[in-house]
Amino acid sequence: MSATTHAFAPRPGERAAQAARFARLRRGVQLRYVLLALPAVAFLAVFYGYPVAAMLLRAFNDPAWGTENFRPLTTLTRDIDVFGFSVPGNAYLRVFGITLQIAIVTTLATLLLAYPVAYVLAAIRPSRANLLMILVLIPFWTSILVRSYAWMVLLGREGTINRVLMGLGILDEPAKLLNTRLAVYVGMIHILLPFMILPLYAVMRGIDRNLLRAAENLGGRPWDVFRRVFLPLSLPGIGAGCLLVFILALGFYITPALLGGQRDVMISVLIAQQVTLIKWGFASALALVLLLVALVIYVVFSRILGVERLYGGTRA
Amino acid sequence: MTDHGRDQDRIEEQARRRSALRRSMLWDVEMLTRRELLRRGGRVTLGVGAAGALFASGFQIGSAQEASPAAGATQLPQITSIPETLKGSGEVVVVSYGGAFQDAQREAYFKPFEQLSGIKVIEAEGPDTAKVKAMVDTGNVGWDVAEFDRSDVINLSELGDYWEKMDYSLFDTANIDNERLHELAVDMLAYSWILAYRTDVFTEAPQGWKDFWDTEKFPGPRTMTAGSGGLSPNLEFALIADGVAPGELYPIDIDRAFESLDGIRESVVKFWEAGAVPAQMLTDREAVLGVAWNGRIAAVQAQGAPVDIQWNEGMLTTDTWAVPKGAKNKENAMKFAAFITRPEPQARLSMLIPYGFVNKEAAELIPPDRLAILPTAPELLGKQFIRDVEWWSENNDDVAERWNEWILG
């Protein structure tokens, strides 16, 4: 703007008029954008925003106004274990702790498995990548329920894995695989893997290969080229993938219920329990806390890893 | 054929049956929404083998199939007429638990009711008192009559006016005990929580819950009911194992029951929320002893699983049917409820699935060999105790809270 005013050097009165015209123009453009987005915003407000807000409001007004519904969460009854530290808490906080831990471990493990796969997919010819992508997507299209049951069949005491290990003489008696935390991780990682591979692949495909060649020409060893060029450029994909997987993992319900052991209780199970007991206020309070946790993590992630770049944002 | 060859054949036969069972379970599981699965999956999937096979075979009479619990069901009692008061027009929305269970209800109840009353039955799945509350609160009641555990009906009634009063003037209650007829619901289907065990693991049957708790005499992994997912934990069984007589269980000493559960906890590989789970665990030998619903076990027995029921100290309970307040077809809902408590529909269902009836006249329509395996058979009735629904409706919340503390402890 300042450059424009210098070049034309208008008189003061004209300058004000011009500024007003620009402002009007900008408002017009903005208004047009708002109009374009309006149908979707209105739809979301009516069919998503209002119901969610009405539901969350119950945390404060069902059965009576106040913060009574949060009392079970803030009443400390005993020490709980949070990542190895013993802190005062209660059963509900412990379930939040378990939920977070399962979500974090699942996200990290999924990232470790998905990154090399996405790397390969992005490096090979697109026609071959599409073929391999089908292998990623086929399980993605199968019902979660069926896949969880399939893991029950594989991991069971007399399941395929135990039978093979015993047949090979590696085990003398069946190992306890099903109904353990390990089984929960295996099932969840399997289900969530495509959600990590897809955003990673999308970002890696967009990385300019000439940058890698330039780095090699400048004498970078393969590891350095990866660490200092490819990895930083793939960060938005890591951020988006981790975010997707983490938030989906927070809400997992059926897989931990089917594959988990006694203490693998996730927060969604607790919320469902309160809904069936018709304690909707407390259920909403639990949902609200879960939502806040997810939001905080979203903000932190997008600050650190620049997730918005994936959606076309420009911030580095 | 050598002994070895015969063994081989038997093993292959078992493997074949097991995979068939697993397939049918998967199929059944797909029929469910995840919530229904976790809440009440058990009774939904009952009789995949029994009823399911029956429907598939088109009710062939005298087929050479192995004796299944539903074998006697090839000749269902026919219904030729109903009282004029039960006839009408329009429709009625009936909500049950889906899957093979609802298939059986369709044969036993829905089809004859439609034919004889002129009222069209529209089926829905997944009864849920939380949904009823939401429907009544918003004035948008889409269900006319649905099947529940009565403690859920009582719980909701305490929050407000959520149920229609049952209109017993339409019912023929001559052969139904008064305890079955409640103001807001009518008992309809008796089933039992029983001890199930692997017959190939234990040559001597466990005699009751003391044996279930005895991990030295009966070693091996167990499965019991969870206190979440709309279910109640097995406090009654815990007290019996601790020496309380089945007649003196209520009011339940909650502290003592959880202490007793402490004693078995390490041997329980899974506390289940879905009725499909214990049946599958026993079939796969994931557990060798378990708490299960009798219909589920009958279904896996029909598929050849070496699992049996110990009726001693089983817990008998009843599902009820209730009409949400403001149901659009309230009159038709009452007629439907009155119809299915009549002897013929009651007998038809018990012949399709080994669950009990509430109309005593139904007994005369069921063959003796079938009658003997229903949870309400006189011989089995004496072995069981009756679940105190009122106690549970009063203490559901407290027990759930206790359960959450206990399971994470």
Side-chain angles (χ1 to χ4, degrees), chain B residues 173-190:
Chain B
T173 56
N175 291 301
I176 305 174
D177 287 337
N178 266 332
E179 299 88 79
R180 301 297 195 189
L181 310 171
H182 313 286
E183 192 187 9
L184 303 175
V186 57
D187 287 352
M188 199 69 70
L189 173 109

Side-chain angles (χ1 to χ4, degrees), chain A residues 94 157 253 257 260 262 273, chain B residues 38 265 268 270 286 404 408:
Chain A
R94 174 126 189 254
R157 247 174 77 88
Y253 183 81
Q262 290 184 12
Q273 180 195 40
Chain B
L38 287 190
R265 174 166 192 166
V268 179
K270 182 93 183 168
E286 205 62 49
N404 290 340
L408 295 165

Side-chain angles (χ1 to χ4, degrees), chain A residues 17 33 38 42 49 67 90 96 105 111 155 172 182 195 201 225 232 239 246 262 266 268 272 292 294 298 300:
Chain A
Y33 286 156
L38 197 62
T67 53
N90 54 49
F96 270 107
V105 172
L111 177 63
L155 296 171
D172 293 330
L182 181 75
F195 292 95
Y201 172 69
V225 172
F246 181 81
Q262 290 184 12
M266 288 189 76
S268 49
L292 290 178
Y298 173 77
V300 171

Side-chain angles (χ1 to χ4, degrees), chain B residues 98-109:
Chain B
F101 180 47
Q102 199 155 325
D103 289 344
Q105 289 181 320
R106 191 172 305 120
E107 287 302 316
Y109 302 158

Side-chain angles (χ1 to χ4, degrees), chain B residues 114-147:
Chain B
E114 276 191 337
Q115 273 172 15
L116 297 169
S117 74
I119 297 166
K120 189 170 166 46
V121 173
I122 296 179
E123 296 183 39
E125 291 179 18
D128 181 350
T129 47
K131 265 190 202 162
V132 170
K133 182 173 188 298
M135 284 180 176
V136 176
D137 283 349
T138 57
N140 187 16
V141 184
W143 291 348
D144 293 322
V145 57
E147 184 171 351

